[in-house]
Amino acid sequence: MEQLKGMHHVTAITSSAEKNYEFFTYTLGMRLVKKTVNQDDIQTYHLFFADDQGNPGTDMTFFDFPGIPKGQHGTNEIARTSFRVPSDEALDYWVKRFDRLEVKHQGIQEQFGKKILPFVDFDDQQYQLISDENDNGVAPGTPWQDGPIPLGYAITGLGPIVVRVDDYEFFKKMMEQVLKFKEIDKEGSFHLFETGEGGNGGQIIVEYNTVLPRHRQGYGTVHHAALRVSNRENLEDWINHFQKIGLPNSGFVERFYFGSLYAQVAPQILFEIATDGPGFMDDEPYETLGEKLALPPKLEPKRDEIEKMVRPIDTVRSTKTFEKEYE
């Protein structure tokens, strides 16, 4: 059975697809590579922000469920998502940028020997930038070439998620015995786990916390996190592994852009295992990725119905020129 390769994507919930698009495009400089709908709830947008070509391990995705209330952060939560930047120097750039654009942040800190910059968006969704300085693990992606961020400072993919739990021993067994991660470091109540080639793209941070109340899902919180395998064959091995140990799971789910397997790995914590391909480049030209509503073949017959359900969002960028912003 192939070891999990690291992060594939993180899916969160937003209060506004429009504001979400503006923040990720113009503030963070990540590329919208797919504008589609939730395949299980077709009235809900599903936006995919990633690197220049939507490579696996680089995308943060969002649902905008109509009418969902604001979430509450707490325990048993995928609490924070990391984005990789090339160097410590890049974090200095982002501090100045966040200050100028009035993005709330906590300043540059250090955790497990890496510089990080925690920040939040308009929904109080929690993120951090993490420096790839001296990182020799999973390779980063390619920053959005035509975006507003100078390439030497731009986001290149996902770093470790932070999972906050109130039963650390249970979750440690899940990480090590079921998902085959290895604990490699500890700082206070934070534990660092690693898989595959390791490094920022192959790690998960687990926080043990019995003080906070249990989190409540809603906008401003993460829906699920996905881990990578190479292909369908490897995914089937993981399905068989879950079945053998008796872990309830979804079985194979065809998502068109990748194949998926879902399992709840702790109370309120949903993990997905997803294949690296086929990816996002097959149904749209590179130049106009994410500019039209893309639907997988099973939903294409319902296009007229779906387009009446979801409000139009202008995501055209191919006709615009983004000047690089050096602060």
Side-chain angles (χ1 to χ4, degrees), residues 60 195 230:
M60 177 89 187
T195 188
S230 295

Side-chain angles (χ1 to χ4, degrees), residues 86 93 97 143 147-155 323-327:
Y93 164 86
R97 181 172 181 80
I149 310 298
L151 299 183
Y153 302 140
I155 290 170
E323 299 294 335
K324 299 299 183 191
E325 300 172 6
Y326 286 89
E327 61 177 30

Side-chain angles (χ1 to χ4, degrees), residues 117-191:
L117 175 60
F119 68 100
V120 297
D121 69 7
F122 55 91
D123 282 334
D124 194 37
Q125 184 80 240
Q126 299 185 349
Y127 313 98
Q128 65 186 21
L129 299 176
I130 186 167
S131 169
D132 268 352
E133 189 107 359
N134 300 318
D135 187 88
N136 298 308
V138 176
T142 303
W144 182 20
Q145 299 296 287
D146 295 330
I149 310 298
L151 299 183
Y153 302 140
I155 290 170
T156 59
L158 292 175
I161 55 172
V162 179
V163 182
R164 188 185 298 122
V165 297
D166 61 10
D167 187 345
Y168 174 71
E169 290 305 320
F170 172 84
F171 199 71
K172 176 181 171 69
K173 289 179 181 178
M174 181 64 67
M175 291 292 290
E176 293 181 335
Q177 298 178 20
V178 176
L179 299 175
K180 307 301 182 181
F181 277 70
K182 180 181 180 182
E183 183 173 3
I184 61 168
D185 205 352
K186 178 188 177 188
E187 288 185 359
S189 60
F190 292 88
H191 303 256

Side-chain angles (χ1 to χ4, degrees), residues 53-250:
Q53 298 183 8
N55 287 304
T58 71
D59 47 316
M60 177 89 187
T61 90
F62 287 88
F63 299 137
D64 74 330
F65 296 114
I68 192 169
K70 181 173 175 56
Q72 175 180 299
H73 296 298
T75 61
N76 298 331
E77 177 188 14
I78 300 171
R80 189 179 296 275
T81 304
S82 300
F83 299 120
R84 300 169 67 178
V85 295
S87 65
D88 293 352
E89 181 186 351
L91 293 181
D92 294 327
Y93 164 86
W94 282 98
V95 167
K96 296 174 185 176
R97 181 172 181 80
F98 286 166
D99 286 343
R100 178 173 67 84
L101 298 177
E102 298 183 343
V103 175
K104 295 179 181 178
H105 67 86
Q106 298 176 28
I108 296 173
Q109 304 171 16
E110 185 168 319
Q111 187 177 43
F112 296 115
K114 298 291 181 70
K115 300 283 184 160
I116 60 173
L117 175 60
F119 68 100
V120 297
D121 69 7
F122 55 91
D123 282 334
D124 194 37
Q125 184 80 240
Q126 299 185 349
Y127 313 98
Q128 65 186 21
L129 299 176
I130 186 167
S131 169
D132 268 352
E133 189 107 359
N134 300 318
D135 187 88
N136 298 308
V138 176
T142 303
W144 182 20
Q145 299 296 287
D146 295 330
I149 310 298
L151 299 183
Y153 302 140
I155 290 170
T156 59
L158 292 175
I161 55 172
V162 179
V163 182
R164 188 185 298 122
V165 297
D166 61 10
D167 187 345
Y168 174 71
E169 290 305 320
F170 172 84
F171 199 71
K172 176 181 171 69
K173 289 179 181 178
M174 181 64 67
M175 291 292 290
E176 293 181 335
Q177 298 178 20
V178 176
L179 299 175
K180 307 301 182 181
F181 277 70
K182 180 181 180 182
E183 183 173 3
I184 61 168
D185 205 352
K186 178 188 177 188
E187 288 185 359
S189 60
F190 292 88
H191 303 256
L192 183 63
F193 290 82
E194 189 168 76
T195 188
E197 296 178 8
N200 287 338
Q203 295 176 342
I204 289 178
I205 297 169
V206 179
E207 177 191 356
Y208 176 43
N209 188 307
T210 59
V211 177
L212 293 175
R214 286 197 171 193
H215 103 282
R216 184 182 68 247
Q217 193 171 82
Y219 71 79
T221 67
V222 169
H223 186 274
H224 67 271
L227 302 165
R228 293 172 58 194
V229 292
S230 295
N231 52 43
R232 172 73 181 268
E233 181 181 356
N234 298 129
L235 187 62
E236 291 291 346
D237 288 340
W238 278 92
I239 293 171
N240 293 335
H241 171 58
F242 284 1
Q243 301 285 35
K244 185 176 180 180
I245 65 175
L247 179 65
N249 66 87
S250 66

Side-chain angles (χ1 to χ4, degrees), residues 3-4 28 38 41 53 55 109 147 183 223 287 302 315:
Q3 192 175 21
L4 296 172
L28 296 185
N38 182 331
D41 181 9
Q53 298 183 8
N55 287 304
Q109 304 171 16
E183 183 173 3
H223 186 274
E287 293 77 11
K302 297 183 177 180
T315 56

